[in-house]
Amino acid sequence: MKTRRQFLNIAGAAALATAGFSAQAQAQETLNLHQMLPPQAAVPSQILEPWAAKVAEESNGSLTIKHFPSMQLGGTPPELMDQAKDGVADIVWTVIGYTPGRYPRSEVFELPFMATTAEATSMAFWDMFDEHMKDTEFKDLHIIGTWVHGPGLIHTKDPVETPEDLQGMKIRGGSRLVTNLVEKLGATAVGMPVPAVSEALSKGVIDGTTIPWEVTTAVKSSELVTNHTEFTGNSLYVLGFVLAMNKDKYESLPDEAKAALDANSGAEFSAWAGKMMDELDAPGLKIAEDLGNNIITIDAEGTEEWKELAQPIYEEWVADMESKGIDGQALIDQARAKIDEYSK
């Protein structure tokens, strides 16, 4: 694996968080950070808060970031990108796929069996964002980081060992490509943001969900379903994330505050966030194991049937990109090459 310098010493994250958030009183600028998950969830507690603390510390008191979890500033998760664009929030963290069709090039990393590790894929994502997306679909936002989660799984009430087992099931998907994948595999897809998953499972609205291990700790899915289907090799799917900032707000910051943000943005931050996503899968897996749940692993030979069913998504996506004047096949080829490069 080719790696970049480690972004943050995790052992010092708690101390940094305390120092960063206690700096609010003396800060000249306070930015609000809005996102959908509760503060104890993995991404807020292990990525967003340490990042905010590090920015505050390096700004020498010129900047602090106030965290508003669980949509405390109002609205719904699909509205987060517009909240950053319109200035309702200064910074948002969100799933790009919650606003389908608006950020088409970013979907290349959500194609089935495209991603390897979250770290390698996130490194590729930032490179391609910088080349293809920064000045096109994301031009109205200041993007701090781009990354993906670890390998996506299928978590269900009944066991899923083959695509045939999905027949008749209602499975939640988190983006248009994932819901398309669910349909291609034979289930009925139900699109919804991740905060709605727990209630949907408990009420029987859905029979299962597609999420990585990392999210299972927040939505308590391992207590609600007992079967988990994972895949060897490349990921069944991943979702793309952005940490996005209102562009005018960024440009209005004093130089010292802007420098602190810049030092904690971009390729290095995205790679670190992706690496953290890989590491944050372990606690979710352990909970399922401790509960005695059924963990089904599809090996390389068994994966071929799933890949064959998913293949039409590639042709459909390339055609969709062509209708928008985008060379989708070139994006696929470049994404694969970069993921392979960073996976070595």
Side-chain angles (χ1 to χ4, degrees):
M1 165 73 71
K2 295 182 179 179
T3 59
R4 297 175 173 142
R5 182 175 59 86
Q6 185 171 349
F7 175 78
L8 181 65
N9 183 343
I10 301 304
L16 281 174
T18 301
F21 286 101
S22 67
Q24 290 183 24
Q26 64 185 27
Q28 297 173 2
E29 292 279 347
T30 298
L31 304 177
N32 56 51
L33 165 60
H34 198 205
Q35 57 87 22
M36 72 197 84
L37 293 179
Q40 70 272 18
V43 170
S45 65
Q46 301 301 313
I47 295 178
L48 300 180
E49 291 196 10
W51 170 81
K54 191 168 185 286
V55 171
E57 183 186 53
E58 294 182 8
S59 75
N60 295 318
S62 67
L63 182 66
T64 193
I65 298 170
K66 188 174 181 181
H67 182 195
F68 292 88
S70 305
M71 301 304 298
Q72 288 178 353
L73 294 181
T76 63
E79 295 172 330
L80 281 164
M81 291 296 274
D82 281 333
Q83 289 186 354
K85 182 179 175 181
D86 298 338
V88 174
D90 298 317
I91 303 171
V92 302
W93 170 74
T94 191
V95 176
I96 301 171
Y98 287 176
T99 47
R102 288 174 54 181
Y103 307 99
R105 293 170 180 84
S106 70
E107 291 181 332
V108 69
F109 295 101
E110 295 186 9
L111 290 165
F113 300 104
M114 171 67 75
T116 56
T117 66
E119 182 180 14
T121 307
S122 298
M123 292 165 78
F125 190 178
W126 179 265
D127 285 355
M128 291 185 63
F129 160 79
D130 198 42
E131 181 177 351
H132 299 291
M133 307 173 209
K134 180 172 68 175
D135 298 321
T136 54
E137 55 223 60
F138 289 100
K139 62 183 174 59
D140 295 327
L141 292 160
H142 177 75
I143 302 300
I144 294 167
T146 63
W147 68 95
V148 303
H149 60 58
L153 292 82
I154 303 172
H155 309 262
T156 49
K157 296 179 180 180
D158 295 322
V160 173
E161 298 182 355
T162 68
E164 288 75 17
D165 294 329
L166 286 169
Q167 299 290 327
M169 288 191 186
K170 293 174 290 184
I171 304 295
R172 173 263 179 188
S175 73
R176 78 180 190 104
L177 284 188
V178 178
T179 54
N180 189 6
L181 173 62
V182 168
E183 295 279 355
K184 290 287 192 295
L185 295 175
T188 298
V190 181
M192 66 177 67
V194 74
V197 167
S198 297
E199 184 176 4
L201 283 173
S202 63
K203 291 185 175 180
V205 174
I206 55 176
D207 302 303
T209 184
T210 54
I211 49 175
W213 282 119
E214 163 262 322
V215 178
T216 62
T217 59
V219 301
K220 300 189 182 304
S221 55
S222 294
E223 289 89 339
L224 296 168
V225 300
T226 57
N227 298 279
H228 314 272
T229 304
E230 59 184 11
F231 295 78
T232 58
N234 287 25
S235 304
L236 174 66
Y237 80 94
V238 296
L239 294 181
F241 304 123
V242 287
L243 191 60
M245 185 172 180
N246 178 270
K247 200 165 190 176
D248 290 340
K249 187 67 175 180
Y250 169 77
E251 292 172 352
S252 74
L253 291 175
D255 289 344
E256 193 167 30
K258 193 180 294 184
L261 271 174
D262 291 346
N264 294 283
S265 301
E268 189 176 331
F269 168 64
S270 299
W272 171 77
K275 183 179 180 182
M276 286 299 299
M277 299 305 292
D278 285 323
E279 295 176 359
L280 290 170
D281 278 342
L285 171 59
K286 186 176 188 306
I287 288 171
E289 291 174 335
D290 290 347
L291 288 169
N293 288 3
N294 182 28
I295 299 171
I296 300 160
T297 301
I298 309 297
D299 62 19
E301 182 178 353
T303 301
E304 290 306 310
E305 180 183 7
W306 299 75
K307 287 182 177 179
E308 184 176 345
L309 289 170
Q311 183 57 37
I313 296 174
Y314 279 80
E315 286 83 22
E316 294 168 7
W317 189 77
V318 168
D320 184 33
M321 293 302 104
E322 287 178 355
S323 74
K324 295 176 169 63
I326 299 169
D327 189 341
Q329 188 59 53
L331 290 174
I332 290 170
D333 294 342
Q334 186 178 9
R336 281 177 171 157
K338 283 190 170 291
I339 291 170
D340 287 346
E341 174 189 353
Y342 288 126
S343 297
K344 291 177 182 176

